[in-house]
Amino acid sequence: MIAIFFSAMFAGHIYIIIIVTAVQIISFKEVIAISNVPSRARSLRFTKTLNWYFLGTTMYFLYGESVIYYFKHIILVDRVLLPFATHHRFISFMLYVIGFVFFVGSLQKGHYRFQFTQFAWTHMALYLIVVQAHFIMNNIFEGMIWFFLPVSLVITNDIFAYICGITFGRTQLIKLSPKKTVEGFVGAWVFTIVFGILLTNILMRYKYFICPVNDLGATFWTGLECTPNPVFIPHTYQLPFIPPNWTHLPTKVSVAPMQFHIVIFATFASLIAPFGGFFASGLKRTFNVKDFGHSIPGHGGMTDRMDCQFIMGFFAFMYYQRWVFRTMRS
């Protein structure tokens, strides 16, 4: 799986988009499945159909929004695609309304509670998985670094939380995950920050990672061309509190602003993102299941591996849009 991931990342953005799409579909299927009651689902033949219909409708809306925004220079000049782009939101709304009307029309006496539970559960899964995965998709379009860094930070934090926990962990962190310790939690935070700074320093050297997508056919070897965002350009900062007579110490340092941003990213990945995992643990306990599924043999379901990634990707997009985004795209 690691080899497939890195091969896809270096082969081009389109392959990572395909992987993210597959992950969200599998995760949606797993989350929907744990609340399902097979005996009732069999007697209500449209239950699963509606689940997948709402998934398709939501993906059509979200993917359409991204494609229109990032590739409007192509979409808006195509005679076939222009009507779909112009009326995209209305079309998406009507598709949802059709599903809503169909759901109401399929209600059967004696199954109301189950059907409304499934309806609510489906929408929760759409929000927690599909909507958040949409922002991860946008991160890819903004530049591979905004996708790869958050993913790497969550994985690194998980690894070091385990290492620090078994090495010197003593104090239980949260009852939902008895093996998580305060010492592992804090230790992983420190190591994640160090790893994030080092990895950022490497990725910033390659335009393939820092440039927004302007060519879906680009690969790591062909590269991308753009005017780098100022956050990737080193700035010189005056060091405070350095006495003038201490000539052996530098008074200035050259650092790219991205190095400061990555500390915030690493902190979120260490202190907040794990609560996505705790949330998933609570959900599994509610339904008395060990794993969300068996998509990954020996490692449970896809959702078990991605529970922290969704909220981290969501944060990365929001942070980028607020503090990093530059209106001029090259």
Side-chain angles (χ1 to χ4, degrees):
M1 290 181 66
I2 294 174
I4 292 173
F5 174 79
F6 279 99
S7 297
M9 186 172 67
F10 291 131
H13 299 74
I14 188 67
Y15 298 101
I16 288 295
I17 290 171
I18 292 172
I19 288 177
V20 172
T21 302
V23 166
Q24 69 174 321
I25 292 174
I26 294 171
S27 297
F28 177 81
K29 176 179 178 292
E30 291 174 347
V31 171
I32 289 298
I34 67 171
S35 70
N36 194 27
V37 180
S39 58
R40 290 199 173 190
R42 281 193 294 269
S43 61
L44 300 168
R45 58 178 178 170
F46 294 120
T47 300
K48 287 186 176 181
T49 303
L50 280 170
N51 288 341
W52 290 104
Y53 177 83
F54 282 122
L55 172 64
T57 300
T58 304
M59 290 180 65
Y60 173 80
F61 170 67
L62 295 175
Y63 276 62
E65 289 285 301
S66 296
V67 170
I68 293 169
Y69 177 76
Y70 290 104
F71 299 99
K72 51 182 173 285
H73 57 287
I74 298 174
I75 303 296
L76 298 182
V77 297
D78 188 289
R79 293 180 58 186
V80 176
L81 298 177
L82 180 59
F84 290 96
T86 305
H87 308 294
H88 173 69
R89 293 182 180 179
F90 182 77
I91 293 172
S92 301
F93 173 72
M94 292 309 299
L95 287 173
Y96 177 82
V97 168
I98 290 171
F100 175 77
V101 171
F102 193 80
F103 165 74
V104 175
S106 67
L107 291 172
Q108 294 184 22
K109 187 176 181 179
H111 299 284
Y112 293 152
R113 181 183 293 274
F114 173 75
Q115 288 180 287
F116 275 104
T117 298
Q118 286 293 301
F119 184 79
W121 188 259
T122 298
H123 283 70
M124 184 201 75
L126 289 172
Y127 171 71
L128 292 178
I129 297 172
V130 182
V131 172
Q132 292 192 107
H134 161 68
F135 293 110
I136 295 176
M137 203 80 69
N138 287 351
N139 291 340
I140 298 171
F141 288 127
E142 293 293 351
M144 190 67 81
I145 192 171
W146 303 108
F147 163 77
F148 184 56
L149 264 180
V151 169
S152 300
L153 292 173
V154 168
I155 295 172
T156 301
N157 181 258
D158 193 43
I159 292 172
F160 280 107
Y162 173 76
I163 294 174
C164 294
I166 62 173
T167 303
F168 47 82
R170 296 291 183 274
T171 311
Q172 188 182 69
L173 177 65
I174 188 169
K175 291 183 178 179
L176 280 172
S177 295
K179 295 182 180 180
K180 301 290 185 181
T181 64
V182 174
E183 294 81 3
F185 196 66
V186 175
W189 178 24
V190 175
F191 282 107
T192 303
I193 290 176
V194 174
F195 171 83
I197 292 173
L198 294 175
L199 182 60
T200 301
N201 189 49
I202 296 172
L203 297 181
M204 287 193 302
R205 303 174 186 177
Y206 301 94
K207 285 191 174 182
Y208 177 75
F209 284 98
I210 67 175
C211 287
V213 178
N214 49 35
D215 179 11
L216 282 175
T219 68
F220 177 77
W221 295 274
T222 61
L224 289 168
E225 288 299 325
C226 68
T227 301
N229 190 303
V231 297
F232 300 117
I233 301 174
H235 294 191
T236 300
Y237 299 93
Q238 184 75 34
L239 292 177
F241 312 117
I242 301 294
N245 57 330
W246 288 22
T247 56
H248 59 286
L249 291 179
T251 58
K252 297 180 180 180
V253 63
S254 182
V255 179
M258 184 61 189
Q259 297 287 20
F260 299 120
H261 290 304
I262 201 61
V263 173
I264 306 299
F265 273 59
T267 298
F268 189 93
S270 302
L271 305 184
I272 306 298
F275 282 85
F278 301 151
F279 177 86
S281 295
L283 202 58
K284 288 185 286 188
R285 288 175 181 269
T286 300
F287 291 93
N288 196 30
V289 295
K290 181 181 179 182
D291 298 309
F292 280 100
H294 305 283
S295 305
I296 307 174
H299 296 276
M302 186 67 71
T303 313
D304 295 289
R305 305 278 71 82
M306 300 296 157
D307 45 16
C308 301
Q309 295 287 1
F310 290 121
I311 191 172
M312 184 66 205
F314 195 176
F315 168 78
F317 176 81
M318 292 300 176
Y319 186 92
Y320 171 84
Q321 290 293 321
R322 176 61 184 87
W323 301 106
V324 180
F325 179 72
R326 192 179 52 159
T327 55
M328 182 183 73
R329 294 173 60 84
S330 302

